[in-house]
Amino acid sequence: MHTAIQLWTLRELREPLSDVLDRITAAGYDGVEFAGIGDPGASRRALDEAGLGIAGVHVQIEELQSDPRTVGNQVRTLGAPYIVLPYLDDDHFASESAVESTATLLAMLEEDFDRPVLYHNHDHEFVPLGDGTAFDALVDRTTIGFEFDAGWAHAAGQDPVALIRRLDGRVPVVHLKDVTADGEPTALGEGVVPLRAVVDAAREAGTDWLVFEHDNPEDPVDAIQAGIDGMRPLL
């Protein structure tokens, strides 16, 4: 598996992208994941200069629906292998019919692009529904891939290892995130997520990219090194 950092982790860094990417290269990551497309040409050049790969790019639902042709062109320029839908609100998972509509939406989105569209979970997809959760129902009703966030799943009271195993072959990207017992983001290894078991399950499920993310690091510069230091022993 390749290692990457989600650039949302570093959103408070007031530095040019090229400088941020140089920090990431120096730390030893294989690549990055973008939180938004930005200027795809400039980003592509900066990636090449830094010698970094790209795990994917997060694109909000409004952008995906309003102008898929432009988004598709931008993603090709950026060279992202996956388009990741990072969030859908609670209403999309509130009932059986809502999940059915969400499954249809995701299937339609994937038809609009020439590369896979992945869905990134938070915790609200795991509301009880039928004999399982809304997330279970979404998995059953779709054939799309997922960017599985182990930290959010654990915060929702779920077993991230079992869920990754269930998504075998459909989870090319995994967000490696640790959380406290209260579900708050924390540094890798300082929380309650079974990180080694998550990484082992991801490897067995065919995951290509393991992406470190910390939603609220105290110091984003320190988080860059702490993230890769927390990942290396698990690989």
Side-chain angles (χ1 to χ4, degrees):
M1 285 183 294
H2 303 293
T3 60
I5 184 170
Q6 164 54 250
L7 292 179
W8 179 251
T9 303
L10 311 179
R11 63 193 180 278
E12 297 300 330
L13 275 183
R14 303 298 182 231
E15 297 178 358
L17 176 62
S18 59
D19 291 350
V20 174
L21 296 184
D22 284 345
R23 290 183 183 274
I24 293 168
T25 299
Y29 291 88
D30 299 317
V32 301
E33 183 179 48
F34 282 82
I37 295 175
D39 182 335
S43 295
R44 181 68 258 171
R45 290 189 293 274
L47 284 171
D48 291 341
E49 290 171 3
L52 290 169
I54 178 171
V57 56
H58 283 195
V59 187
Q60 299 295 333
I61 184 63
E62 295 81 8
E63 295 177 73
L64 293 173
Q65 290 182 312
S66 65
D67 194 352
R69 177 176 295 183
T70 296
V71 170
N73 289 336
Q74 291 174 327
V75 171
R76 280 191 292 276
T77 299
L78 186 57
Y82 304 107
I83 298 170
V84 182
L85 176 56
Y87 182 83
L88 287 172
D89 64 28
D90 299 23
D91 292 344
H92 288 83
F93 307 96
S95 65
E96 292 280 357
S97 61
V99 172
E100 191 67 46
S101 296
T102 300
T104 300
L105 167 64
L106 294 175
M108 292 174 62
L109 284 177
E110 191 158 48
E111 290 179 1
D112 286 335
F113 299 98
D114 63 356
R115 61 205 61 212
V117 175
L118 310 180
Y119 182 71
H120 171 277
N121 65 281
H122 286 76
D123 56 350
H124 63 279
E125 297 91 349
F126 296 99
V127 292
L129 192 66
D131 295 329
T133 67
F135 185 84
D136 294 326
L138 185 67
V139 171
D140 290 341
R141 288 164 172 76
T142 59
T143 59
I144 66 160
F146 288 83
E147 178 176 82
F148 183 76
D149 191 301
W152 277 117
H154 197 284
Q158 302 296 308
D159 179 353
V161 174
L163 286 166
I164 291 172
R165 288 174 177 160
R166 185 181 179 199
L167 292 169
D168 187 10
R170 296 175 62 184
V171 60
V173 185
V174 166
H175 269 198
L176 194 64
K177 178 185 298 177
D178 212 347
V179 298
T180 67
D182 295 326
E184 295 299 319
T186 190
L188 292 181
E190 295 184 4
V192 294
V193 177
L195 299 175
R196 184 173 297 280
V198 165
V199 172
D200 289 345
R203 183 180 294 108
E204 293 169 7
T207 297
D208 295 325
W209 284 94
L210 198 64
V211 180
F212 165 65
E213 183 179 46
H214 192 317
D215 291 279
N216 296 297
E218 290 186 11
D219 186 325
V221 172
D222 289 347
I224 296 173
Q225 192 63 51
I228 194 67
D229 287 347
M231 296 169 83
R232 280 197 184 105
L234 307 174
L235 296 171

